[in-house]
């Protein structure tokens, strides 16, 4: 049974790394003491070691140890052996490039489909969708493909942002960008605001956390769903 | 001699399409009555015809006619024959995909290097750099490469945006994104604010328009340059 948390962000403004979701994670990871961390997205170019230490410090508070996938000689075996996995945020283009380079995209997909508990934040959430094409990140590296894990039947837009009222900036709003995506792709997109997450338990997919989410279906007017909603597309 | 205008945006808030730069364009395109328009980036998925009509309406005010590249049976010949070219904004991933698909990336580069007057706005400016890797756009389509025209020795970040003071949003600022780019790439990046443009005349590259620009060099602290500055990197 799939067991996934797909979070908009690792950190909400004014609180520590993962602090807003730590109670949830204590229960989510209750059957494992060690979590395999995938630091490939490395925000701001932080090292794998430094990033793993950040995750480790947060999980220490709920009695878990964290090991970075880069510490293992065989990352494929590390994924197969893990009882809990966490992929942190950063740059999605970099994350996807690294997952392909280390040949772990498919093993990670299989582990999640086989029931290994998986937490993603930001870029680590983006890759749960069928493609990374609704990321907000800058294409700092050319990945061999935009295809990602596909462990949910839609795409994610993390850090979802409403148009800023009174803005004079002429760059596209998030909603406009997702509409452009839908000119060439029919996949639904769920925009998750910071402080919210999607919980997958087998076939049940639910919105959790502080905010409504904005849903974009091909050729439909976007709409809001309240927290607690089941997410289904017919 | 290269003759290029690389503009942050087609439109500044509260005025019409190209209105803020139309006087400059009247002088820039003084030797041609017809402008070849490349509508491939099509913002919001607008059709090539509709987008070309938008450009045509603006250029009518300075007595120019506009023809879309999609109207020509042979787009390569259309580029070679043009005396003035304009590539509009929209989605850079789409624009680059289409330039490769129609095999006009190299012919366009050659035309510009041979002195054909070229105006780019937004996505059409992004492609002037060596790569499209400092675009702000969503990867709605997978291009065969991120390499672009390379008619200037640096990359462009159009619609450059300062961090929003007091923002509680945890998504990366533009500056953070460009810093991440510099973890993997050494090319300088010039962030152009809306209402400003870069003017290339042969070897001379100058910042023009309303605002300072922000310059990001690898391993250096970002800095501002005033309008009228020469842009050189040693």
């Amino acid at each position: 049974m799939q067991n996934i948390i797909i979070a908009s962000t690792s950190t909400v403004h004014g609180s520590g790394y993962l602090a807003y979701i730590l109670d949830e994670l204590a229960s989510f990871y209750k059957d494992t003491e060690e979590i395999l961390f995938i630091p490939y997205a490395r925000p701001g170019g932080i090292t794998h070691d430094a990033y793993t230490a950040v995750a480790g410090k947060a999980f220490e508070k709920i009695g878990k140890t964290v090991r970075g996938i880069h510490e293992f000689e065989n990352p494929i075996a590390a994924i197969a052996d893990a009882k809990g996995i966490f992929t942190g945020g950063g740059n999605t283009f970099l994350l996807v490039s690294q997952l392909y380079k280390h040949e772990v995209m498919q093993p990670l997909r299989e582990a999640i489909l086989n029931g290994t508990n998986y937490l993603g934040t930001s870029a680590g959430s983006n890759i749960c969708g069928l493609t990374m094409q609704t990321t907000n990140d800058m294409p700092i590296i050319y990945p061999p493909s935009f295809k990602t894990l596909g462990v949910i039947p839609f795409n994610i837009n993390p850090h979802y942002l409403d148009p800023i009222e009174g803005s004079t900036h002429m760059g596209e709003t998030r909603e406009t960008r997702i509409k452009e995506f839908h000119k060439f792709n029919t996949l639904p997109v769920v925009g998750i605001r910071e402080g919210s997450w999607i919980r997958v338990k087998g076939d049940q997919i639910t919105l959790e956390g502080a905010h409504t989410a904005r849903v974009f279906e091909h050729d439909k007017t976007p709409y809001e769903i309240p927290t607690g909603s089941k997410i289904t597309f017919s």
Side-chain angles (χ1 to χ4, degrees), chain A residues 115-128:
Chain A
T116 306
N117 284 39
Y118 178 90
L119 163 69
T121 61
S122 194
S125 292
N126 249 318
I127 61 169
C128 291

Side-chain angles (χ1 to χ4, degrees), chain A residues 37-59:
Chain A
F37 181 56
I38 301 180
Y40 292 153
R42 26 190 207 123
I46 186 176
T47 65
H48 291 149
D49 278 344
Y51 197 15
T52 303
V54 169
K57 209 176 148 189
F59 275 104

Side-chain angles (χ1 to χ4, degrees), chain A residues 95-172:
Chain A
L95 171 59
V96 169
S97 296
Q98 291 285 304
L99 289 172
Y100 279 113
K101 184 182 165 192
H102 296 289
E103 298 180 341
V104 292
M105 186 69 88
Q106 193 57 27
L108 182 55
R109 174 182 153 83
E110 282 162 19
I112 297 169
L113 293 180
N114 289 333
T116 306
N117 284 39
Y118 178 90
L119 163 69
T121 61
S122 194
S125 292
N126 249 318
I127 61 169
C128 291
L130 283 137
T131 74
M132 55 164 286
Q133 291 180 268
T134 48
T135 177
N136 310 308
D137 296 338
M138 200 170 253
I140 61 174
I141 198 160
Y142 186 71
S145 168
F146 284 163
K147 286 201 188 112
T148 47
L149 297 169
V151 293
I152 47 170
F154 50 91
N155 266 11
I156 295 291
N157 182 252
H159 301 283
Y160 184 76
L161 203 55
D162 293 291
I164 296 160
E165 227 174 300
S167 169
T168 59
H169 187 70
M170 302 301 287
E172 293 87 351

Side-chain angles (χ1 to χ4, degrees), chain A residues 38 66 85 96 99 101 122 137 174 179-180 204 230:
Chain A
I38 301 180
V66 167
I85 299 175
V96 169
L99 289 172
K101 184 182 165 192
S122 194
D137 296 338
R174 195 67 62 79
K179 277 187 189 165
E180 289 183 353
Q204 295 277 320
K230 298 261 175 291

Side-chain angles (χ1 to χ4, degrees), chain A residues 189-230:
Chain A
V189 180
V190 179
I192 323 174
R193 294 185 176 85
E194 294 176 352
S196 289
W197 64 90
I198 289 171
R199 182 72 172 92
V200 183
K201 279 187 198 176
D203 291 342
Q204 295 277 320
I205 307 181
T206 318
L207 177 68
E208 309 279 349
H211 307 288
T212 61
R214 193 154 184 87
V215 180
F216 301 82
E217 290 189 69
H218 187 244
D219 274 345
K220 283 195 190 172
T221 305
Y223 56 93
E224 296 287 321
I225 54 170
T227 189
S229 300
K230 298 261 175 291

